[in-house]
Amino acid sequence: MSPPPVTVVIDRNDDALHTHTALAAHHLPSGRITLHPGPGTTSERALAHDLLAALGKPPLLPGRFPAGRQPVWEAATAWITALPVTHLTVLRAHRFIARHTERLLQLRALTGIRLTLVCHRPHLPAALHQALQTVDHTVTTDFATARRHYYGSPAAVRLAAADADWPGGESGTGVLRRRWISLPALTTLMSFENSPVCTCAAPLARERGFVPPAMPALTEREVARRLHAGTAHPYLAAELATACFTAASTSQLATARVQDAALDGSTVTLHDRHNVRQGCMTHTVPDWARPLLRAAVFTHLLATGTSSGKLFSDPHNSTGLPYLPDFAEQLKLRPPQPPRPKRRKNTGRKPPPPTVWPLSNAHHHLPWTMPEDMRGCPQPPGYKPKRTPFTRQ
């Protein structure tokens, strides 16, 4: 299916009304983003950084990449497809060189996005005119027509206004905005067992009787907001999100392949071939985490064209990325901590102690499967101490 025609808006007099209207139409829950390139946007990579920022992501990709090339366009393409974004309005298009326009047209071809280019000049520049010769496009000078393209259909606007639970554009969720959030599901994150690759058709978690710790609605929204805004790496955000709603260990997360996640992000399968924990199982992905899983899947499909790789790994082979517990701490997410001693009167406030990551065998079948070291941290809800089997003396 071919993408819709490109719309070119001619703003003859560089009227501020066009710019303000296009910027006001920017609304991620609606699937509409407005890209306003900065004055220093002269390279293709800088344009991609601006696009990631418009998507609510950090514009820079941490880590070191082979040949020094950051795959920012691939990351932006994956996020646009996963969120999903349907309308992209680009201001100051008359400044673009041919490669800028070609990049945006490639993005349109890959994602099917509705692309609107705003040229703040009486006529199309030669570079833009030449780049548009190979694609279907329409040119308009009418403001009312341009506004309809900025905002899309009225039905989409009404639908987005009723969608208050989408976390990507929020500045923070009440009192939780700057606080540490303790998640019982992260108590079982640390693990050092070996979980080999498995190709089974795993049953649903509820069929095995496994129920991970749930998050309150307000906490869930704040966790989703931090994961959406915390990194531009889809697989890193998706891995931590999966740990939050499955209570999985790092070894279990490492078993997930791209094909173990549904393309719509509704389910993800984690394996445990040796039945060290609860066995292989398929988890239902909550709504807030589905865009993150979709973005991780699309990143691999764009980079490799196959679904056989590990889901929570970088297909571009970057190095220097933070470990999952370190990334969680960057977002102020951690397991419940040991109780802190009471502060004595007339003493200065001490800096907070470092985060404790316990070793818990709460989800293991047998007590000797993994040595436990809680270091004062509480066990997750529903934990039952395991009894060592009786042996004859």
Side-chain angles (χ1 to χ4, degrees):
M1 182 177 179
S2 60
V6 177
T7 301
V8 180
V9 176
I10 300 295
D11 175 17
R12 295 180 181 276
N13 301 314
D14 195 5
D15 192 345
L17 183 61
H18 270 280
T19 302
H20 292 167
T21 304
L23 292 174
H26 177 90
H27 192 231
L28 269 171
S30 311
R32 302 190 308 267
I33 60 174
T34 300
L35 175 59
H36 194 182
T41 303
T42 57
S43 67
E44 300 171 50
R45 184 181 299 178
L47 184 63
H49 290 317
D50 288 342
L51 183 56
L52 285 174
L55 289 165
K57 312 300 175 188
L60 297 178
L61 294 177
R64 296 180 294 275
F65 297 87
R69 190 190 71 86
Q70 289 190 348
V72 283
W73 278 104
E74 292 83 349
T77 303
W79 284 118
I80 285 175
T81 308
L83 284 172
V85 175
T86 57
H87 291 71
L88 171 60
T89 299
V90 184
L91 298 170
R92 305 292 160 189
H94 61 275
R95 294 179 176 174
F96 290 169
I97 61 175
R99 284 298 299 160
H100 288 163
T101 308
E102 290 172 7
R103 274 291 193 180
L104 291 172
L105 294 177
Q106 291 172 7
L107 181 70
R108 165 182 170 268
L110 287 171
T111 63
I113 200 169
R114 291 183 177 272
L115 179 61
T116 301
L117 302 175
V118 185
C119 178
H120 305 269
R121 290 291 185 273
H123 305 286
L124 284 180
L128 184 59
H129 176 77
Q130 183 178 359
L132 292 173
Q133 293 305 304
T134 58
V135 297
D136 294 335
H137 66 280
T138 59
V139 180
T140 182
T141 59
D142 181 61
F143 173 75
T145 303
R147 188 180 188 279
R148 286 197 297 271
H149 285 287
Y150 299 155
Y151 277 90
S153 65
V157 176
R158 290 194 298 269
L159 180 64
D163 184 10
D165 293 331
W166 194 86
E170 298 179 5
S171 59
T173 310
V175 296
L176 296 178
R177 187 161 57 95
R178 292 188 178 92
R179 294 184 179 181
W180 281 91
I181 297 179
S182 296
L183 301 177
L186 296 181
T187 303
T188 53
L189 179 65
M190 300 300 293
S191 178
F192 302 104
E193 73 243 14
N194 181 26
S195 295
V197 177
C198 183
T199 58
C200 70
L204 291 172
R206 64 173 178 267
E207 295 176 0
R208 288 192 178 274
F210 180 76
V211 181
M215 289 186 284
L218 188 64
T219 301
E220 187 176 85
R221 289 182 62 189
E222 176 62 15
V223 169
R225 185 195 68 81
R226 294 184 188 186
L227 286 167
H228 272 279
T231 182
H233 283 296
Y235 38 87
L236 193 58
E239 184 177 18
L240 184 54
T242 303
C244 290
F245 68 79
T246 63
S249 67
T250 51
S251 58
Q252 284 180 296
L253 294 169
T255 65
R257 302 160 299 168
V258 179
Q259 62 200 54
D260 287 323
L263 196 59
D264 62 355
S266 59
T267 61
V268 62
T269 300
L270 302 179
H271 297 280
D272 180 22
R273 194 169 74 181
H274 292 162
N275 290 320
V276 173
R277 290 191 167 222
Q278 305 288 334
C280 304
M281 63 181 72
T282 299
H283 298 267
T284 301
V285 180
D287 292 341
W288 63 266
R290 292 185 181 186
L292 302 174
L293 268 295
R294 289 198 298 266
V297 171
F298 293 143
T299 298
H300 281 271
L301 295 180
L302 287 170
T304 66
T306 65
S307 59
S308 58
K310 289 188 175 182
L311 177 62
F312 302 128
S313 64
D314 184 5
H316 301 284
N317 300 316
S318 64
T319 58
L321 290 178
Y323 292 109
L324 197 60
D326 296 332
F327 177 57
E329 290 187 44
Q330 290 175 15
L331 304 186
K332 288 192 172 183
L333 303 177
R334 64 185 180 185
Q337 297 295 286
R340 297 182 63 180
K342 293 183 178 180
R343 186 165 62 93
R344 296 181 180 180
K345 294 182 179 180
N346 302 323
T347 59
R349 185 178 296 275
K350 297 181 179 179
T355 300
V356 175
W357 289 91
L359 289 174
S360 171
N361 60 17
H363 300 317
H364 289 72
H365 279 308
L366 301 173
W368 60 77
T369 305
M370 186 188 74
E372 189 171 76
D373 184 11
M374 296 304 297
R375 301 170 61 188
C377 295
Q379 290 281 3
Y383 171 75
K384 295 180 180 179
K386 298 176 178 60
R387 298 178 59 185
T388 305
F390 174 76
T391 56
R392 291 180 179 273
Q393 298 294 332

